[in-house]
Structures are given as structure tokens and as C-alpha cells.
Amino acid sequence: MKHLYAAALAMFTMTGAALADPVEGLWKTEVDDGHYAHITMSACGDMICGVISRTFDANGEIQSENLGKQLVWDMVAKGDGAYHKGKIWQPSTGKVFKSKMALSGDTLKVSGCVGPICKKQTWSRAN
């Protein structure tokens, strides 16, 4: 019986890993106010979140006060690479935008609005 339980647990664990959301991983943002970042996207319960893992300026990597801060949260997968109902923080302005994302291969289109003001970026998968 112990062997059956262990086999079932191993199968469940492998299935969970195989079901990782395709948006999970490391993404490079576009330049905003002279800086860009690498964002680590991962599951946060049933949703997707993104944390600032590295920061850069025109001269290379920098140590920003924003390292480790959450940039994306509450993003819900709709299927077919579409995500909605999320929030995204713009460090250069401190504003939080209602956000959505569209994944296509190694490209992630991120857009968001605060009232009538909308912005968008295209992120690329970082290695």
C-alpha cells in the first residue's frame, strides 16, 4: 500500500510540474524612464504574479530599490495565451494599472489603464 501511495504522489507531483502556466519564467520589459527590468512570472495560487528580479539602465545591471517588489499580481488565465483582471505597477510613476496580457511564443504584450490613461509594452522572454 505504501508503494501505491508513493507512486500516486510522484505522479501527482510530476503532473503539477507539467501543468505550469506557459507565461511562467523570466521576462525582459521595455525601457521605461531609462530603465528596464527582468520580471519573474510565477503562479500565485490560481493567479499569475510577477516580481522584479533584476534591474538595468543603459550602462548595465543596477541595484534598484525596486528589486523583489511585485510588479504584476492577480492576473487570471483565460486560455489561449490571454490573461485578464490583473494589476500592474509602473515604478517610474508609482501608478497601479488594471491590466491584461497576451502571450504569443516568446512575446508577452502587457497593457493597462488607470482611468482614461492606458499604456502598453511588449516584453520578451529572457534567458
Side-chain angles (χ1 to χ4, degrees):
M1 189 69 167
K2 286 182 182 179
H3 295 290
L4 182 60
Y5 176 74
L9 181 61
M11 187 177 293
F12 176 76
T13 303
M14 290 185 334
T15 302
L19 295 177
D21 193 286
V23 79
E24 290 183 34
L26 192 62
W27 293 90
K28 178 184 173 186
T29 69
E30 286 185 26
V31 174
D32 180 29
D33 197 31
H35 298 86
Y36 68 95
H38 283 178
I39 309 301
T40 302
M41 301 292 277
S42 60
C44 295
D46 292 341
M47 298 178 200
I48 299 294
C49 300
V51 174
I52 300 171
S53 51
R54 297 176 73 186
T55 53
F56 304 84
D57 65 12
N59 297 316
E61 190 164 3
I62 60 171
Q63 294 300 308
S64 167
E65 63 188 23
N66 295 322
L67 282 170
K69 291 186 179 178
Q70 200 164 45
L71 189 86
V72 177
W73 62 96
D74 293 344
M75 200 63 72
V76 177
K78 289 174 51 174
D80 294 326
Y83 301 83
H84 68 144
K85 296 185 180 180
K87 301 275 190 293
I88 189 165
W89 172 57
Q90 183 181 26
S92 64
T93 64
K95 293 184 178 181
V96 175
F97 293 74
K98 292 181 181 177
S99 183
K100 62 183 179 179
M101 303 185 308
L103 175 66
S104 178
D106 289 337
T107 300
L108 184 64
K109 293 184 183 276
V110 180
S111 59
C113 298
V114 173
I117 300 170
C118 296
K119 295 189 176 191
K120 61 183 176 179
Q121 281 196 349
T122 300
W123 297 357
S124 55
R125 197 172 289 276
N127 294 325

